[in-house]
Amino acid sequence: VTCLDISSGGGLGVSTSTDGTMKIWQAANGEIRRLLEGHVCDVNCCRFFPSGLVVLSGGMDAQLKIWSAEDASCVVTFKGHKGGILDTAIVDRGRNVVSCSRDGTARLWDCGTRSCLAVLSDCGCPVNGIAVGSAHSSLSLGTPENPPSEREVRTEGKILLLAREDKKLQGVGLQSRQPV
């Protein structure tokens, strides 16, 4: 097991593995409900969307995938990273997601169009972990150089933290793309 998450209601769990699979299971008793297959090689990370019915995963195959927890179908595959995906984050209710990779980038994706909206950071070393959260009002997140896409939803006032392999923690304004 390389990663796990519990749904917001606590009823389901999801776990990833080095054999390229993920399992959806009942949190109360550990009973396996679904086997999710589609990544090639290790699946590094998994995360339930706020609904608890959808799962986001990233693997060493450099693919980010969205799955139905109800029928185990892969409904979206995002491609664009050049190295294995190491972590993910869901923005607000999940119209947008963020991924980070061994290729040194963090990317913002639009789930509806299956497209990369922005490379949020390219730091030249693997990004091992990320977190998205609301920034305190006293923190200046910068101003976007260009207006954000209409596909970008609720990124204002949010900070993206990157845990880099070079032992640095980096902050980026999610909407502005500016270092914090």
Side-chain angles (χ1 to χ4, degrees), residues 49 56 64 78 89-90 95-99 107-109 111:
F49 277 73
L56 179 65
L64 186 66
F78 301 98
I90 296 171
R95 293 240 339 244
N96 301 132
V97 296
V98 181
S99 59
R107 296 173 182 260
L108 177 68
W109 304 90
C111 295

Side-chain angles (χ1 to χ4, degrees), residues 5-14 24-31 33 48 52:
D5 194 22
I6 299 288
S7 64
S8 58
L12 295 176
V14 61
I24 303 284
W25 35 272
Q26 282 296 135
N29 61 15
E31 178 185 328
R33 298 282 304 271
F48 275 101

Side-chain angles (χ1 to χ4, degrees), residues 1-175:
V1 175
T2 54
C3 186
L4 52 92
D5 194 22
I6 299 288
S7 64
S8 58
L12 295 176
V14 61
S15 56
T16 62
S17 176
T18 56
D19 68 3
T21 66
M22 298 184 345
K23 294 176 180 163
I24 303 284
W25 35 272
Q26 282 296 135
N29 61 15
E31 178 185 328
I32 303 299
R33 298 282 304 271
R34 304 274 183 269
L35 179 65
L36 286 65
E37 298 178 287
H39 279 286
V40 179
C41 303
D42 302 7
V43 186
N44 295 325
C45 49
C46 58
R47 193 172 305 273
F48 275 101
F49 277 73
S51 69
L53 303 174
V54 181
V55 174
L56 179 65
S57 68
M60 287 307 287
D61 56 6
Q63 294 182 47
L64 186 66
K65 293 180 175 282
I66 297 177
W67 306 83
S68 165
E70 295 179 310
D71 66 10
S73 64
C74 177
V75 294
V76 175
T77 299
F78 301 98
K79 295 180 181 179
H81 281 291
K82 304 288 188 247
I85 295 172
L86 300 175
D87 200 7
T88 61
I90 296 171
V91 180
D92 199 50
R93 300 192 52 79
R95 293 240 339 244
N96 301 132
V97 296
V98 181
S99 59
C100 67
S101 169
R102 293 199 54 75
D103 68 10
T105 66
R107 296 173 182 260
L108 177 68
W109 304 90
D110 174 49
C111 295
T113 61
R114 304 174 180 186
S115 61
C116 179
L117 295 176
V119 174
L120 301 168
S121 179
D122 190 351
C123 59
C125 70
V127 180
N128 294 325
I130 53 175
V132 171
S134 296
H136 190 273
S137 60
S138 66
L139 186 62
S140 174
L141 298 177
T143 305
E145 290 180 16
N146 301 307
S149 162
E150 70 278 354
R151 302 298 304 178
E152 194 172 317
V153 179
R154 298 188 184 256
T155 57
E156 65 281 350
K158 301 247 181 355
I159 186 170
L160 172 66
L161 292 178
L162 303 114
R164 298 168 29 160
E165 195 159 298
D166 62 0
K167 302 178 183 173
K168 293 181 181 173
L169 183 63
Q170 178 180 347
V172 176
L174 190 55
Q175 188 177 75

